[in-house]
Amino acid sequence: MKNIVFLLCCCANLLYAQQTDYVDFKEVKTVLAFNQMKVDSTVFNSYEIKFDVLKQTDSVYLDAINMQFSNVALNKSKVKFKNDGKKLIIYHGFKASKTYTLNFLFFTSPKKAMYFIDWDNEDAITSSYSDINRNTVQKKQIWTQGQGKYTSHWLPSIDDMNDKIEFDISCVALKGYEVISNGKMVSKRETPTYNLWEFDMEKPMSSYLVALVIGKYSKNVEYSKSGIPLEMYYYPEDSLKFEPTYRYTKQMFDFLEAEIGVPYPWQNYKQVPVKDFLYAGMENTSATIFSDSFVIDSTAFADKNYVNVNAHELAHQWFGDLVTETSGTHHWLQEGFATYYALLAERDIFGEDYYYWQLYEYAQELLDQDKAGGSTSLLDPKSSSTTFYKKGAWVLHLLRERVGDKAFKMAVKNYLKKYAYKNVETENFITEVEKVSGEDLTDFVELWLKNKAFNYDEALNSLKKSTYMQEYLMVDCEVYTSKCSNYLTSGISDEAKIKVISQLPSQIKKEDFKNSLKVRQAIARNVSKIPSELKTEYESLLNDKSYVTIETALFILWQNFPQERQKYFEKTKDIHGFSDKNVRMLWLALQLVSPDLDDKNKREYFSELTRYTSPQFGFEVRQNAFQYLHQIQACRDVCKENLKQATKHHNWRFQKFAKALSEKETP
């Protein structure tokens, strides 16, 4: 969207670490307006920033990338300023112990951190979940992603986490569009064509957690036991997906408040899905934004759901938003805690065995990283996500085992209360644990936080406290024994059965199909050559409530029984699968490479598969379509043009994929 003009009232901002010694930014009030008119025809609004000067200084600055400013005033008087394209620098003889108010107008056309989705596409469809034959509706969105140092691309702010500010955002938007931002919506002023939405934050936060979403949404509101409004947004056409998408939300919220022991620190909690998001989710203060690929139906829930991301981003409202790391050295205080507490919330839903199984999978991932030579200290700011998230969670699990539940929970509670709305380092947390437990944790810190290697053997000993994990580790059919022949009809866990199937796929029998959804899915994935005596049982997998199972079974059956292909196609013709249309894409590709397909249907199916490469669809859909068209050597002019466009997509993972595939497609 070009010539986007932002009218900001009060660009209160954050400061670099060295500036925080001199200035404390307190409050930002900003009014944002989006306009496609030319810049010189735009009317600007005013705004203001309030800050306290701690030590005498001759200048203060705000980070502001590629912005323009006018009407800059300090305490209502004209003031000298400089705009170098990266910062707005204000020159004045600032005196200690005084409060100042800075006012100005600004506009910008951000290249990152604020994304305008489908505004240039008048035919944009409602969402990537829509069936291709459904009526299409425009879906236009604006959303932000400021984690790191990016908020200053769309809002004057401080590219540092160590100065927390109260941001009160107001936004002018077209009628018919919802606006979601941090804090409580305190008013909505309506005009014939535009609405002015006003939000109030009562408490300060780091600027990377400022968020804004504009789009066409419906919402449901529930209330936690403590009375916090839980606002859950969804696309109007996805009303039937609301329940499976947000399943367990209230239960997890109530659990985390009780488990953490500190009340939820913000006025409300909002969650909103957006198209083509950069990550799974982002824990903006009181307003989580998440990828709309997690908007799912009940069938998809078994294989891909929002529960873990939901719990993780919610846990961040305490760990990351309420208390915030001082620097990347202490990043595990955010991601490790959010991963651990999300797992506790999932344990409350799915049980103790689930909890230990997830820890086991984390341990395997960390072991693999170790073997590959990629392990780093948890206090290394350049550590991988695996280290920050998974090793961080393991550290908390083991620390709790060492000091006991009571001491651990009290220490976390004290830590959050003492450093609420402040910045923290690892030592701050460890000190609180030592105070409550009376233990010297020097050896623990050396072994688990400073040591590069992951202590797998010690982790395994912890897992063996679970009888469920003992059983899993004992079951092993790498060397076949008579006992293995009965495992799949015994009472061992699903995970143990899946392990057996992966080790002995050729030993599957008819009765083994009488297992749970997960075990049947493992059969689908591991049995690639289907004996004729298992044909009927394997065909039954197409009836399972799992899009992963259906996709896998369709392909294997298509390979094994060419004479039955039309039967399998007819059985699955109306199944689209996840939001990335995994089943439908495979169905189309298999049809196109089946020799008995007539020309009319071939043209129709090719056209549909090619259409999925269009920017009208989410990048997950497009990526699937590009992959299939490339595999069957059918990426023609329209596909190649859409692929070229994809090489400039804002989602860097999709962009990287598109560039790599484009090179392969180029003769």
Side-chain angles (χ1 to χ4, degrees):
M1 191 176 182
K2 298 179 180 178
N3 298 322
I4 307 300
V5 179
F6 300 3
L7 313 181
L8 287 161
C9 257
C10 231
C11 290
N13 316 303
L14 307 179
L15 304 173
Y16 277 90
Q18 63 266 30
Q19 192 174 220
T20 57
D21 293 336
Y22 292 84
V23 185
D24 181 13
F25 284 89
K26 307 296 287 187
E27 182 182 4
V28 172
K29 295 186 181 298
T30 178
V31 178
L32 304 173
F34 301 88
N35 198 321
Q36 287 181 300
M37 299 167 65
K38 292 183 179 178
V39 171
D40 57 11
S41 68
T42 301
V43 178
F44 290 88
N45 292 333
S46 62
Y47 66 51
E48 83 182 20
I49 299 168
K50 293 181 180 178
F51 58 94
D52 294 339
V53 174
L54 308 176
K55 297 179 183 178
Q56 182 174 321
T57 183
D58 60 4
S59 65
V60 300
Y61 65 81
L62 301 173
D63 292 299
I65 310 299
N66 297 324
M67 296 183 184
Q68 296 182 37
F69 299 90
S70 65
N71 296 26
V72 181
L74 184 69
N75 290 347
K76 298 184 179 180
S77 296
K78 188 175 180 180
V79 68
K80 183 180 178 181
F81 72 93
K82 177 183 177 181
N83 174 16
D84 65 4
K86 294 183 178 180
K87 292 181 175 62
L88 172 65
I89 307 169
I90 308 299
Y91 297 99
H92 182 75
F94 294 100
K95 296 182 179 179
S97 303
K98 288 196 65 176
T99 298
Y100 294 83
T101 301
L102 177 67
N103 296 69
F104 57 82
L105 306 176
F106 77 91
F107 67 89
T108 182
S109 295
K111 305 301 181 187
K112 62 171 63 174
M114 176 173 276
Y115 300 94
F116 300 85
I117 307 300
D118 286 348
W119 288 86
D120 294 328
N121 182 7
E122 292 303 317
D123 298 318
I125 67 165
T126 301
S127 77
S128 58
Y129 318 119
S130 304
D131 293 337
I132 198 70
N133 294 320
R134 285 175 55 179
N135 293 329
T136 59
V137 182
Q138 290 182 9
K139 182 177 82 170
K140 298 181 178 181
Q141 298 176 349
I142 299 171
W143 50 261
T144 60
Q145 171 56 25
Q147 188 169 29
K149 298 181 178 181
Y150 299 127
T151 295
S152 59
H153 285 261
W154 67 274
L155 180 70
S157 53
I158 302 299
D159 289 341
D160 186 274
M161 295 176 284
N162 291 280
D163 191 356
K164 296 195 172 189
I165 303 166
E166 180 198 338
F167 287 89
D168 296 333
I169 292 180
S170 298
C171 181
V172 177
L174 286 168
K175 265 191 169 316
Y177 286 85
E178 294 288 315
V179 175
I180 302 103
S181 189
N182 311 91
K184 180 180 179 181
M185 189 191 79
V186 292
S187 72
K188 179 183 175 183
R189 304 179 192 178
E190 300 191 13
T191 73
T193 54
Y194 292 89
N195 293 332
L196 173 64
W197 303 68
E198 296 180 309
F199 294 87
D200 170 66
M201 277 295 293
E202 293 179 346
K203 299 294 184 179
M205 61 179 173
S206 299
S207 64
Y208 78 93
L209 295 167
V210 180
L212 182 71
V213 178
I214 300 174
K216 293 190 175 183
Y217 292 99
S218 297
K219 76 172 178 179
N220 287 352
V221 181
E222 293 188 56
Y223 290 86
S224 69
K225 285 183 179 178
S226 58
I228 298 296
L230 310 178
E231 302 178 17
M232 293 163 280
Y233 289 82
Y234 61 96
Y235 302 137
E237 68 275 13
D238 283 338
S239 60
L240 296 179
K241 295 178 179 177
F242 173 83
E243 189 283 325
T245 298
Y246 287 108
R247 191 174 293 171
Y248 304 124
T249 293
K250 181 181 181 301
Q251 180 178 337
M252 292 190 295
F253 191 99
D254 291 337
F255 169 81
L256 285 176
E257 270 205 316
E259 171 66 26
I260 293 169
V262 174
Y264 177 77
W266 318 105
Q267 297 127 295
N268 55 21
Y269 186 52
K270 299 172 284 287
Q271 296 178 84
V272 54
V274 299
K275 179 183 175 184
D276 288 347
F277 197 51
L278 303 180
Y279 307 103
M282 176 61 200
E283 69 279 8
N284 308 294
T285 306
S286 79
T288 285
I289 297 174
F290 67 96
S291 168
D292 64 11
S293 65
F294 287 102
V295 176
I296 50 137
D297 61 23
S298 292
T299 300
F301 186 89
D303 298 317
K304 177 182 180 178
N305 58 62
Y306 178 54
V307 174
N308 178 261
V309 176
N310 189 343
H312 183 96
E313 307 310 334
L314 175 57
H316 269 310
Q317 299 298 318
W318 287 269
F319 306 103
D321 295 8
L322 177 60
V323 294
T324 309
E325 66 191 49
T326 58
S327 68
T329 299
H330 310 284
H331 193 49
W332 83 279
L333 292 175
Q334 298 186 181
E335 298 303 346
F337 271 79
T339 303
Y340 175 68
Y341 276 91
L343 190 51
L344 293 181
E346 289 183 289
R347 181 177 67 181
D348 184 61
I349 297 166
F350 303 122
E352 194 81 8
D353 293 348
Y354 177 92
Y355 172 80
Y356 277 103
W357 176 253
Q358 292 302 121
L359 281 176
Y360 174 74
E361 292 206 316
Y362 294 171
Q364 297 308 117
E365 189 176 338
L366 288 160
L367 179 63
D368 290 343
Q369 179 178 256
D370 233 5
K371 290 178 178 178
S375 293
T376 53
S377 161
L378 198 55
L379 301 180
D380 184 343
K382 296 181 180 180
S383 288
S384 67
S385 293
T386 298
T387 297
F388 285 133
Y389 289 63
K390 313 295 176 59
K391 189 174 182 179
W394 257 106
V395 164
L396 294 172
H397 168 79
L398 292 167
L399 181 59
R400 188 170 189 158
E401 282 193 340
R402 172 158 171 171
V403 302
D405 275 1
K406 185 177 180 180
F408 181 85
K409 292 179 74 170
M410 181 58 70
V412 170
K413 185 175 181 178
N414 292 348
Y415 162 73
L416 289 174
K417 286 188 171 183
K418 183 175 182 178
Y419 297 102
Y421 311 107
K422 298 177 183 177
N423 295 82
V424 289
E425 297 183 352
T426 298
E427 184 179 353
N428 301 135
F429 172 64
I430 296 298
T431 297
E432 293 305 315
V433 181
E434 289 182 328
K435 282 181 183 178
V436 174
S437 67
E439 290 199 37
D440 181 351
L441 295 174
T442 302
D443 61 327
F444 184 90
V445 170
E446 288 293 331
L447 182 63
W448 287 103
L449 276 70
K450 294 183 179 181
N451 186 23
K452 290 183 179 181
F454 176 68
N455 303 289
Y456 181 78
D457 290 341
E458 189 169 335
L460 204 60
N461 287 334
S462 174
L463 290 173
K464 288 177 181 177
K465 294 175 184 177
S466 160
T467 55
Y468 162 82
M469 287 308 306
Q470 289 175 23
E471 175 195 82
Y472 175 82
L473 294 168
M474 254 178 13
V475 170
D476 193 343
C477 294
E478 289 285 3
V479 179
Y480 184 79
T481 66
S482 58
K483 190 184 294 185
C484 291
S485 64
N486 299 317
Y487 271 146
L488 297 184
T489 54
S490 70
I492 63 173
S493 69
D494 284 351
E495 282 70 29
K497 289 179 179 180
I498 291 168
K499 181 180 180 181
V500 171
I501 291 168
S502 69
Q503 294 173 337
L504 299 172
S506 62
Q507 302 296 320
I508 301 299
K509 303 182 291 295
K510 284 185 178 183
E511 55 267 31
D512 298 334
F513 284 82
K514 297 176 182 178
N515 266 293
S516 70
L517 189 73
K518 287 198 300 184
V519 177
R520 284 168 60 85
Q521 185 177 104
I523 293 174
R525 284 176 154 170
N526 287 276
V527 180
S528 57
K529 183 65 176 176
I530 307 172
S532 57
E533 63 270 19
L534 294 182
K535 179 173 177 288
T536 300
E537 284 73 21
Y538 199 95
E539 287 175 340
S540 72
L541 295 171
L542 293 177
N543 299 319
D544 282 14
K545 297 294 184 181
S546 162
Y547 293 134
V548 169
T549 303
I550 294 170
E551 178 187 13
T552 306
L554 174 59
F555 180 68
I556 299 299
L557 287 166
W558 181 89
Q559 279 187 319
N560 279 262
F561 307 109
Q563 71 281 6
E564 303 271 18
R565 285 174 178 174
Q566 287 308 311
K567 181 175 77 172
Y568 304 139
F569 286 144
E570 184 64 24
K571 176 78 175 176
T572 55
K573 67 179 181 180
D574 296 322
I575 302 174
H576 281 240
F578 299 119
S579 59
D580 64 0
K581 299 185 180 292
N582 63 312
V583 179
R584 184 63 179 176
M585 297 279 191
L586 174 64
W587 191 93
L588 290 168
L590 293 180
Q591 285 276 21
L592 289 171
V593 296
S594 296
D596 54 347
L597 185 66
D598 63 56
D599 290 343
K600 180 182 177 182
N601 284 335
K602 184 168 287 190
R603 285 193 298 271
E604 179 185 335
Y605 298 153
F606 172 74
S607 177
E608 181 180 341
L609 188 55
T610 300
R611 190 156 61 242
Y612 288 133
T613 67
S614 164
Q616 293 179 342
F617 295 91
F619 77 85
E620 299 96 339
V621 174
R622 300 179 67 192
Q623 185 162 313
N624 264 357
F626 283 130
Q627 285 176 322
Y628 277 118
L629 286 166
H630 174 71
Q631 287 171 5
I632 65 175
Q633 299 180 341
C635 185
R636 297 171 188 166
D637 291 346
V638 173
C639 169
K640 288 180 179 178
E641 185 61 31
N642 287 335
L643 184 60
K644 181 180 178 181
Q645 184 272 346
T647 62
K648 299 177 182 179
H649 198 275
H650 66 265
N651 187 294
W652 65 270
R653 292 181 181 86
F654 181 52
Q655 182 187 109
K656 183 179 179 180
F657 160 83
K659 287 180 177 178
L661 188 62
S662 185
E663 291 178 2
K664 295 177 183 178
E665 286 289 337
T666 303

